[in-house]
Amino acid sequence: MDFNFQTNIKKYAELAVKVGLNLQPGQKLIVQSLRNGGVPIQTAPFIRELVASAYQIGSPLVEVQWRDDDLILSRLKYAPKDSFGEYPTYLADGILEVIESGGAILTIAAIDPDLLAGQNPVVLDQMQRAYLDAWKPISAHIGKNAMNWSLLSIPVTGWAAKVFPDLPEGEQIPAFWDALFKICRVYEEDPIAAWESHLKNLQKRSDYLNQKAYRELHYRAPGTDLKLTLPEDHIWRSAGFKTQSGLPFTANIPTEEVFTLPDRRFTEGTVRSTRPLVYTGNVIDKFTLTFKEGKVVDFSAEQGENFLESLITTDEGAGMLGEVALVPNSSPISQSGLLFYNTLLDENASCHLALGSAYRFSLAGGENMTGETFKELGGNNSLVHSDFMIGSGELDIDGVLRGGEVEPLFRSGEWAF
Ligand code: ZN
Ligand code: ZN
């Protein structure tokens, strides 16, 4: 580990604490990855920097929930078959106690996507349900931005092997860190200042789009001719959020998108994907979707067509759109050309749409309306929310104003305003 690497992980840790969380003096912090059983112990060199940074800001207590992959595999191998509904609920209760008393929460995305490959799906489903049940009250706090929260990726062995299959084993993790540092602007002279100006730019873009309140978006690219309708009260957002008490924070690093919801009922035309989509660990690539009156009526894929079909037919909402996001083709993730098998990283690569549920906060007053009202106003509900990339250097997007005038939003994959 050379000196530069140590400096860079320190900068990355500071980004998470200062820009991601905007952790305040006196605020406790939980660092967790409850979905996957904890933060992998192999990430300890990075986590130590992170914890130091949090204490330096003035946090009175930082708690990290650890895991070891072998312990998870051991449970799957030896624990009684009827025991996978068991869950250490005190972990979720502990997190809840901290956030309800004003603490912040950092979620670490760091898992080998193939860790659980070949395991009994029924057992995995039971484990997932037990986690989701325990996580529900925390998820409700996150959904309301009751406190500052953020999401951050850290390379681990199996994951790095998946992203860099052609590199020798010893070079995969360093290559992953190098990619992350580039994508997250860690190599900038002053990464925090770089992020402040990047976030300001995203905010400016979403303010502009909100003020225009386009009625329709028209996408054109090779294989794509698609019209989306935006609900009257749609709100364009970026990952720059505010807590209920007004503290700004950034929900994830990196973030490149400005996004809202389309009216699920009116999508018309055909769209072609430009990057692979990873769905439940499977790759779906080079696919085309055709929409009529909001619904997917035709689809094909060169790879993973059966997975695409199972995604679209999950439930009624899965065959309709729930998100539209704008990301310039020059984004650092797109330029990296890498597939990360991870939504946080992959969805920030380029312009995308999502099949499935829409975010309530994309619609004015959406958080406080019933599911029925949200649907009546064009929102989509589904068990899935699956982002797929449609951006490229050949994508043009027009915005159609309420009065019918047409304005360029994207030209050759870049912002046109
Ligand atoms: Zn998105
Ligand atoms: Zn999304």
Side-chain angles (χ1 to χ4, degrees):
M1 204 175 295
D2 63 33
F3 170 75
N4 276 337
F5 177 72
Q6 206 56 37
T7 309
N8 288 325
I9 59 168
K10 201 171 173 153
K11 285 181 172 176
Y12 189 55
E14 278 182 1
L15 271 183
V17 173
K18 292 182 180 168
V19 178
L21 292 167
N22 190 13
L23 191 70
Q24 299 297 298
Q27 250 198 322
K28 290 182 186 172
L29 174 62
I30 292 276
V31 183
Q32 63 84 38
S33 178
L34 211 52
R35 172 186 283 274
N36 302 316
V39 179
I41 47 178
Q42 71 163 277
T43 63
F46 170 77
I47 297 292
R48 289 180 196 121
E49 292 294 347
L50 184 99
V51 171
S53 176
Y55 281 129
Q56 281 161 11
I57 280 171
S59 176
L61 191 63
V62 183
E63 266 298 306
V64 182
Q65 289 180 346
W66 296 104
R67 82 152 188 271
D68 174 37
D69 286 350
D70 283 349
L71 301 189
I72 296 176
L73 296 176
S74 180
R75 182 181 181 202
L76 286 163
K77 194 165 176 188
Y78 302 118
K81 293 291 164 261
D82 60 357
S83 66
F84 291 94
E86 292 284 340
Y87 192 85
T89 44
Y90 65 90
L91 288 178
D93 293 346
I95 293 181
L96 206 56
E97 191 187 307
V98 171
I99 58 184
E100 283 182 343
S101 64
I105 176 168
L106 180 70
T107 300
I108 301 294
I111 190 162
D112 172 358
D114 294 334
L115 178 67
L116 302 176
Q119 299 286 347
N120 182 345
V122 177
V123 163
L124 295 181
D125 189 57
Q126 278 170 343
M127 288 172 77
Q128 176 75 358
R129 271 168 208 276
Y131 149 75
L132 283 173
D133 267 354
W135 184 253
K136 223 177 254 166
I138 304 170
S139 168
H141 280 73
I142 290 178
K144 286 184 287 195
N145 293 331
M147 70 294 169
N148 38 346
W149 57 274
S150 195
L151 179 62
L152 189 77
S153 304
I154 307 176
V156 286
T157 316
W159 190 12
K162 187 112 180 156
V163 179
F164 297 98
D166 300 331
L167 286 183
E169 219 177 281
E171 290 172 27
Q172 290 164 340
I173 290 250
F176 201 135
W177 274 117
D178 181 52
L180 265 186
F181 291 155
K182 275 184 204 141
I183 287 166
C184 298
R185 301 172 166 78
V186 171
Y187 291 141
E188 301 273 335
E189 184 75 31
D190 182 348
I192 291 186
W195 268 91
E196 276 164 3
S197 102
H198 173 56
L199 290 168
K200 219 176 264 172
N201 179 41
L202 292 179
Q203 185 64 49
K204 246 175 42 195
R205 302 281 180 197
S206 56
D207 288 349
Y208 176 91
L209 292 165
N210 283 327
Q211 176 239 317
K212 290 283 184 182
Y214 291 106
R215 189 186 65 204
E216 228 176 76
L217 301 183
H218 189 180
Y219 288 71
R220 268 167 292 118
T224 292
D225 188 350
L226 186 76
K227 276 188 178 149
L228 301 181
T229 299
L230 303 179
E232 203 157 329
D233 286 330
H234 69 273
I235 302 173
W236 289 95
R237 292 193 182 272
S238 58
F241 286 4
K242 272 192 180 139
T243 63
Q244 279 174 356
S245 60
L247 183 75
F249 67 97
T250 310
N252 44 263
I253 288 182
T255 181
E256 304 289 335
E257 62 174 339
V258 174
F259 63 97
T260 188
L261 82 172
D263 189 314
R264 75 178 190 294
R265 299 164 293 192
F266 302 121
T267 312
E268 293 285 337
T270 296
V271 63
R272 182 184 288 173
S273 70
T274 52
R275 284 167 63 97
L277 159 65
V278 181
Y279 176 65
T280 59
N282 300 295
V283 175
I284 306 168
D285 199 11
K286 300 199 170 64
F287 59 96
T288 297
L289 301 173
T290 301
F291 291 86
K292 208 170 160 53
E293 290 171 358
K295 293 192 188 101
V296 175
V297 291
D298 196 16
F299 62 88
S300 64
E302 281 184 28
Q303 187 188 345
E305 195 174 87
N306 53 331
F307 300 117
L308 181 61
E309 178 168 15
S310 93
L311 164 60
I312 291 168
T313 55
T314 306
D315 52 25
E316 202 202 344
M320 295 186 276
L321 297 180
E323 181 190 335
V324 43
L326 303 176
V327 181
N329 188 49
S330 55
S331 93
I333 302 181
S334 172
Q335 293 306 309
S336 79
L338 295 166
L339 180 63
F340 287 98
Y341 300 86
N342 168 284
T343 308
L344 161 65
L345 297 171
D346 292 324
E347 82 152 343
N348 279 294
S350 84
C351 283
H352 54 275
L353 302 170
L355 286 166
S357 61
Y359 293 109
R360 292 297 192 98
F361 54 65
S362 296
L363 196 65
E367 291 106 317
N368 302 315
M369 51 182 73
T370 63
E372 275 312 299
T373 312
F374 187 61
K375 272 187 85 172
E376 273 163 33
L377 295 172
N380 196 13
N381 282 322
S382 170
L383 284 173
V384 298
H385 173 103
S386 208
D387 301 283
F388 61 98
M389 302 300 128
I390 59 168
S392 73
E394 295 171 295
L395 176 64
D396 290 346
I397 309 172
D398 285 334
V400 182
L401 288 163
R402 304 261 149 208
E405 303 96 293
V406 179
E407 296 180 343
L409 289 189
F410 262 66
R411 284 295 176 264
S412 303
E414 300 297 321
W415 293 109
F417 61 85

